Amino acid sequence: MGSDRTRLEGEGHEARDGMARLQLYVAGGAEPSETARATLFQVLREMALDDLPLEIVDIIQTPERALRDQIFVTPTLIRRKDGARKVLIGDLRDVQVLRRFLAS
Amino acid sequence: MADATDAASFGIQKIPTRVPGLDEVLGGGLPEGRVTVVVGATGSGKTLMGLQFLVGGLRGDEEPGIFVSFEESESDIRSTMQSLRWPVSGNGSGAAIHIMEAEFLPDTLLSGTFDLNGLLAALSTLVEETGATRVVFDAVDALLELLDDRHAQRRELRRLFQWVRERNLTAVLTAKSDDVTSQQPLPNQPLLLYLSHCVMVLRYELQDGICSRSIRLLKYRGSSHSLNEMPMTVGAAGLAVFGIRSPDMTYRVFESRVSTGVDRLDTMLGGGLYRGSGILVSGSPGTAKTTLGGAFLDAACAHGERGLFISLDEAPEQIVRNLKSVGIDLKRHLDSGALLMRGYRAGSIETEVFLMKVLSDLASHGATTLVLDPISALSNRTQFRGKNDVGARLLDEAKARGITVLFTSLLSDDASDLETSQASISTIADTWMQVSFKASGGERNRALTIIKSRGMSHSNQVRELVITRNGLTLANVYTAGGDVLMGTARLEREMEIETAETVRRNEFERRRAELELVERRLATQLAELEAEIQSRRTELQTLEDMEEIRRTKRDVGFQQVSDSRRADV
């Protein structure tokens, strides 16, 4: 799982070195969540962004995170960079949208 | 599945909304552990309905609630609640209304499909933390619309409904309808109609620039309910539903009477108006309808009643001044607090708002008598007709409270067809008086007729209504050629009668004096005669006495002579 790749937690942490950080909120083994997870890993590899800090939060396991981080739909991908927070929702099947999101 | 749902619903508990008037419509409240859908166009009051449902829980048993807002920010919702003076938390129990913003940031991107697991997980946590029993999903369709796949929309709705049931929460879900003008707006998500247990439709209608709101219960599984559209208002304290009008008409009826404020009119009505009855005074402009209304309240307040005077399109101050000039002093009742006067512009007040204001004034003032002057200012507007006839509804509400109501109604001069122009109000009014101008002999006089008066033996005579400096009265009746004489004709007849009366009285006086003179003369004669009798009696007595003396003297003389002669006889 991605959660061991980073110690970042929810809100409040800022990028320290201009590097983007990712959080993917999923709902256990629900189909859209599975698709999103797989797609995200694949695209990160393709874009050579494997080393981006990525936290995967399963809101079935930790529902309080959904409340605290204001996650309404799953899957939700959050990208933080230079204090900015961008949100992409959906199972990421539209890869072009995902690529633009990661590249911005 | 549908069978199981329906069977299960029969044992369902109802949770009171505490929206005034709504629980009566719902037969107790919303279905516990189920979703109720509130459908309506933008501005129809859906969000308020949801919020007020939560406020109702807080006010009742201090039930915590959760408001999930998909379109409005938390601060907007808080300020809405603040403006309505609604509590956001309970008294000491710690119960509160939690607002959860589930609105996406404007730059949120979308790629593919998603589910509501995130929301439901967050909510589950919040429900556990707060112990909430009531949940509102406001404008969830804003979120669902992002799912352009209809199948996915259904799947997520089912998920949400399932979640509500599993936790035995009572939920309200508001849904937009783009059918703004339709009589029967349907939600943009038709599936909502089938999935939900109860569906309420909110609607508003603009007519002559005035808005009237309504609510209709479209569906309530396992519960009998009225399908009628019912009026609804958004007032200073929130929504209120009106007109749960049971088909059974049961009012408390009174035998006691209330004065009309015109003594002779009370007599015509066989002793006054019945308490708790409805009176309609109709007439053309200037026929003293307002004065009659004022006289009624003046008398009522003087007898310890509490009065409410609703004036449309005329300032109360002006009415007080005008009535003072004819000897009806309402100011003393205003000062004592027995009378409350309100003035409204008929052209700029919503039907439902008007009704609500009047009913709330009736309640807070504790009014036992009500005058509405003139009801025609409202009834002439199209939307007040028929089911929404404000007069009929107000009368219904007032009668249910045992309040005696007097409506005045303006007839235009050419409204010859009384029966149709008065529509429903005259039907349900118990007493209907008509004031009109009667033109004859080159003048117009006010004529009052009692057209009907239920349960009373009332006079059928047309009477002249006279305004004096000391109030209203009815003039004496003189008929001539089948008509009641009025105005100058009446005065002439009165003078004629008075002249004849004077002549008769003078003649009487003369005859009496004459007879008295004769009597006095005879009495004098009688006295003279008696004196004479007396004097004769005295004379006679003297005579008799003298005779007695003479006889005695004679007898003594004889004895002496005889003794001296020693005669034997």
Side-chain angles (χ1 to χ4, degrees), chain B residues 248-268:
Chain B
D248 315 311
M249 270 196 135
T250 48
Y251 299 129
R252 197 173 145 210
V253 292
F254 298 86
E255 290 297 331
S256 57
R257 306 270 189 146
V258 180
S259 172
T260 58
V262 181
D263 292 345
R264 302 183 83 166
L265 185 54
D266 288 347
T267 311
M268 277 179 84

Side-chain angles (χ1 to χ4, degrees), chain B residues 76-94:
Chain B
D76 282 351
I77 287 162
R78 294 232 180 259
S79 69
T80 300
M81 295 182 74
Q82 222 160 30
S83 70
L84 293 162
R85 293 163 196 270
W86 281 347
V88 290
S89 58
N91 295 321
S93 68

